[in-house]
Amino acid sequence: MKKLFFLITISAAILFNSCKKELDQTPISASTTATFYRSPSDFLQASNAIYASLHNYPIRLSNLSEIRSDNIYGVSVTVRDWDPINDFSPSIAANSYVTEAWSTDFNGIFRANTLLDQIDKNGSFIESATLATRLQAEAKFLRAFYYFDLVRYFGKVPIIDHPVSAPEAATINRANVVDVYKFMIADLQSAITNLPPTYTGVDVGRATKYAAEALLAQVYMAKSSAKYGIDGPGQDSNEWNLALPLLQDIISSGLYVFNTNYSNIFSYTNQSPTVNKEAVFNVMYQTGISGTADLYGASFPWVLAPGAYFLSLKDSRSNGSLEIIPVSNDLLNSYASADVRKAFNINTAGYTNAGSTENRPFFKKWLDITKIPTTSRFDWGINFIAFRYTDILMLKAECILRGAPGAQADVDAIVNQVRIRAGLTAITGVTLPQLFEERRKEFANEGSRWFDLQRSGDLLNIMNAWRAKDDAQNAIRPATANHIIYPVPQTQIDAVPGLYIQNPGY
C-alpha cells in the first residue's frame, strides 16, 4: 500500500495552552525555524507535520459527534469522559475530549502558519516554484480544515493567520463565526486554484483540488444551515447554490466511483486512494514502524468498541473503550431487516468475558478482527475516509432539496443508488428528513451525525424526541440550543483571564 508517510520533524507548541508562559509560539525542536528551512526536504517535512495533526481527527469525531448524538446511548457504570458529552452536562469545560479538540486543531493551524511564513521568507530554498505554490495550497487547505473543525465544535474562535508570540497571543480574542468563515473560504478558494487534481508515488494521499472543493462545499452548507439563536456553525446564509457546483465538479471529474459493495469501502485491503475510489480525502496512517505506533498507526477503529469484547477474543493489548458505549435502540431499529449496513456497522451478537455476558450492541464498522495488530493497539492498518464519494453525492441531493438547481428525480436517483447498494427497494419523492435518515444509517460510526443534526435545522426536536424514546434511565438532559456547540476549554479561559467569554450554558 502506498501511504503518505507523516514525518514529524518539527514539533509545534500547542497554541493557547494552560498558562501564559506556555503561550510561547517557538517550535520545540533541535532546529529552530530560523535555521531549519534550508532545503526542499525541510519544507516537505514541515508540510507533513501539518498533516500529522489529523492523526486524532477520527477519534474526535467519535467522541464529540457520534457520542453526542442520537446514535449512542452512553450510560457507564463508572462515570467516563464520554458520559457528560452524551448527557449534555453543563460542566464539561475541563473535559479531556473538549480540551483535545481545541489544542490539536490550533496545533495544526500553528504548523500551517509556520510553513506559510517560512515559504514567504525562505521560499527560494525550495528551488521549484511549482512545489512552493503547492505547499502553500496544502497548508491553506489544512488550516481551513482545522478551522472548520473548531467552528463546528466551538463557534467563535480566534483567527490566527501567522506565527504569534506569547504577548500577541494573549491579545487575540475570539472572532465572530462569520469572520472565521470568510477566512476559511479565502484559504480554500486559493487552495482549489493551486492544488493538483491527483498525485503519484509518495505524494498520493496529499490534499487535492477535489478535497478542497469537498471541504469548501461543506463550509458553505454548514454556514447555510439554521442559526438556532447562537453564534455557532449555522448562519442561515442560504448558500446551497455555492456548494452545489463544487460537489458537481468532483462528480464530473471521473476520478471517483460509487462502490457497489458497501463493506468493500472499508476493507483493509482497499486502503490506497489510488484503489479505493470512494476516498476523496483520507486521513492516512502508517503501520509497522517499530516504537512509533503512537505517532503513525491508527487507533480509531476500536474507540467505540468495548475492551471486554477484545478480551473475549483473547486479545490482551487494551484495544477498546473502558466500558461499552452502546448503540442506541433507535438507530438499531431504524435499519430494515434487509439492510446490509446494519450487520456491517453494528455488532449485535453477545459476547462473554470473565464470566459476564454483554448483549448490548456497539459500533464495529472499522474493525476487522483478523487484522488486530500484533504489537500495539495504536497500530491498526486502516485509513480514515474523511471525505467519501457517497457523501459528495448525498450532499448534492441535499443542496437540491434546499433550492439549488436540480430536480426531484436527481435526488431520488442518488438516494436510491445508496439504498439499492444496502439491499433496499427504491423510493420516490425523497424529502429532506428522509435524506437525513438515510445519511444516519449510511454514515453511522463515521462521525457525521452531530453535524448532520446541526445542518438539518431540527436538532433540538430530533434529540429531545429521541431522549423520550431511548432514555429509559432519564440520564440525558433535554437538548437546548446552547448544547449545539461545546464550551471553550477551561485551560483557555484560565490562560488569559477576561480574554474569552465562555459559551452560554456552560
Side-chain angles (χ1 to χ4, degrees):
M1 277 186 303
K2 286 283 187 182
K3 289 180 181 279
L4 179 61
F5 188 66
F6 294 139
L7 292 172
I8 310 176
T9 301
I10 299 179
S11 297
I14 294 176
L15 189 62
F16 294 130
N17 217 313
S18 59
C19 67
K20 290 184 181 179
K21 183 177 179 180
E22 292 174 325
L23 291 172
D24 187 358
Q25 295 297 288
T26 304
I28 303 170
S29 173
S31 300
T32 67
T33 55
T35 60
F36 178 76
Y37 294 89
R38 290 295 183 268
S39 72
S41 63
D42 294 341
F43 287 88
L44 283 166
Q45 290 179 49
S47 175
N48 291 343
I50 311 172
Y51 283 95
S53 289
L54 293 171
H55 188 278
N56 208 50
Y57 176 70
I59 296 176
R60 189 178 315 127
L61 290 175
S62 294
N63 291 335
L64 297 184
S65 177
E66 290 291 352
I67 287 177
R68 189 72 153 179
S69 78
D70 53 353
N71 284 354
I72 293 287
Y73 185 70
V75 182
S76 304
V77 175
T78 301
V79 176
R80 307 296 183 182
D81 281 358
W82 60 77
D83 289 314
I85 298 295
N86 183 248
D87 67 20
F88 299 119
S89 170
S91 304
I92 54 173
N95 185 279
S96 63
Y97 300 155
V98 174
T99 301
E100 183 279 331
W102 183 286
S103 297
T104 304
D105 281 334
F106 271 115
N107 191 5
I109 290 165
F110 168 71
R111 294 177 178 188
N113 285 337
T114 300
L115 178 58
L116 290 167
D117 181 64
Q118 289 302 313
I119 291 174
D120 286 342
K121 292 176 178 177
N122 296 307
S124 60
F125 288 102
I126 300 177
E127 298 170 1
S128 165
T130 300
L131 178 58
T133 298
R134 194 199 84 196
L135 291 177
Q136 283 180 317
E138 288 181 73
K140 288 183 177 181
F141 164 82
L142 290 166
R143 183 167 66 180
F145 189 105
Y146 297 128
Y147 263 117
F148 188 45
D149 204 42
L150 287 164
V151 162
R152 294 200 293 183
Y153 288 129
F154 301 106
K156 300 194 296 184
V157 290
I159 297 174
I160 313 289
D161 64 358
H162 63 283
V164 296
S165 65
E168 185 179 359
T171 67
I172 302 174
N173 211 326
R174 298 164 71 200
N176 291 328
V177 170
V178 67
D179 294 321
V180 184
Y181 273 129
K182 288 178 183 177
F183 184 64
M184 282 189 280
I185 291 168
D187 265 358
L188 289 171
Q189 288 173 335
S190 176
I192 289 167
T193 300
N194 294 299
L195 285 172
T198 59
Y199 292 93
T200 59
V202 296
D203 289 324
V204 169
R206 292 183 177 274
T208 65
K209 164 191 172 181
Y210 299 112
E213 287 186 335
L215 180 54
L216 182 54
Q218 291 191 50
V219 166
Y220 281 132
M221 293 178 73
K223 183 169 178 270
S224 297
S225 60
K227 195 170 174 63
Y228 294 100
I230 61 170
D231 200 5
Q235 296 291 307
D236 283 318
S237 63
N238 194 29
E239 295 173 306
W240 311 101
N241 61 317
L242 297 181
L244 182 60
L246 297 163
L247 299 168
Q248 186 57 53
D249 195 48
I250 299 168
I251 296 166
S252 300
S253 73
L255 293 173
Y256 308 100
V257 178
F258 182 85
N259 194 323
T260 57
N261 185 317
Y262 185 73
S263 63
N264 185 251
I265 299 169
F266 312 96
S267 169
Y268 281 61
T269 60
N270 189 29
Q271 285 303 290
S272 170
T274 60
V275 176
N276 191 345
K277 299 300 184 180
E278 277 268 354
V280 179
F281 182 64
N282 272 343
V283 177
M284 307 284 284
Y285 295 92
Q286 179 74 51
T287 62
I289 303 175
S290 178
T292 61
D294 286 20
L295 293 178
Y296 303 118
S299 53
F300 71 87
W302 54 256
V303 167
L304 295 180
Y309 169 72
F310 289 95
L311 291 173
S312 76
L313 301 174
K314 309 306 180 185
D315 173 71
S316 60
R317 284 178 287 273
S318 299
N319 287 292
S321 60
L322 293 171
E323 295 187 41
I324 191 171
I325 307 175
V327 168
S328 72
N329 290 327
D330 184 60
L331 173 61
L332 186 69
N333 295 334
S334 71
Y335 287 96
S337 58
D339 196 326
V340 301
R341 297 171 298 189
K342 178 180 181 178
F344 185 80
N345 292 340
I346 303 170
N347 183 85
T348 57
Y351 59 90
T352 300
N353 176 59
S356 178
T357 299
E358 176 62 77
N359 292 309
R360 287 175 291 177
F362 63 87
F363 279 129
K364 68 175 185 69
K365 175 176 253 172
W366 301 98
L367 293 179
D368 181 340
I369 61 173
T370 69
K371 304 293 185 183
I372 298 176
T374 58
T375 55
S376 169
R377 64 192 175 113
F378 302 110
D379 203 28
W380 288 73
I382 188 169
N383 296 328
F384 180 80
I385 307 174
F387 302 152
R388 183 147 75 86
Y389 186 59
T390 300
D391 196 16
I392 301 302
L393 295 172
M394 296 188 83
L395 290 174
K396 173 185 173 179
E398 182 180 344
C399 287
I400 294 171
L401 288 173
R402 302 281 197 175
Q408 182 67 49
D410 300 323
V411 174
D412 292 351
I414 289 170
V415 173
N416 286 326
Q417 191 176 18
V418 174
R419 287 178 58 84
I420 289 168
R421 178 174 66 188
L424 305 176
T425 57
I427 57 177
T428 58
V430 175
T431 64
L432 200 58
Q434 286 176 313
L435 177 68
F436 277 108
E437 187 58 28
E438 202 64 52
R439 287 183 59 84
R440 184 189 187 193
K441 291 175 282 193
E442 174 72 16
F443 300 110
N445 199 18
E446 293 181 52
S448 67
R449 181 56 178 170
W450 187 249
F451 307 128
D452 282 358
L453 287 169
Q454 288 177 359
R455 214 172 53 252
S456 75
D458 203 27
L459 182 150
L460 301 182
N461 288 333
I462 292 172
M463 288 301 300
N464 287 322
W466 167 79
R467 173 180 178 268
K469 188 189 310 182
D470 243 79
D471 184 16
Q473 299 183 44
N474 198 30
I476 298 175
R477 296 167 176 82
T480 70
N482 291 332
H483 294 129
I484 292 170
I485 54 176
Y486 286 95
V488 177
Q490 194 61 44
T491 53
Q492 313 310 316
I493 296 292
D494 295 341
V496 184
L499 181 64
Y500 297 159
I501 303 299
Q502 185 58 273
N503 285 334
Y506 297 101

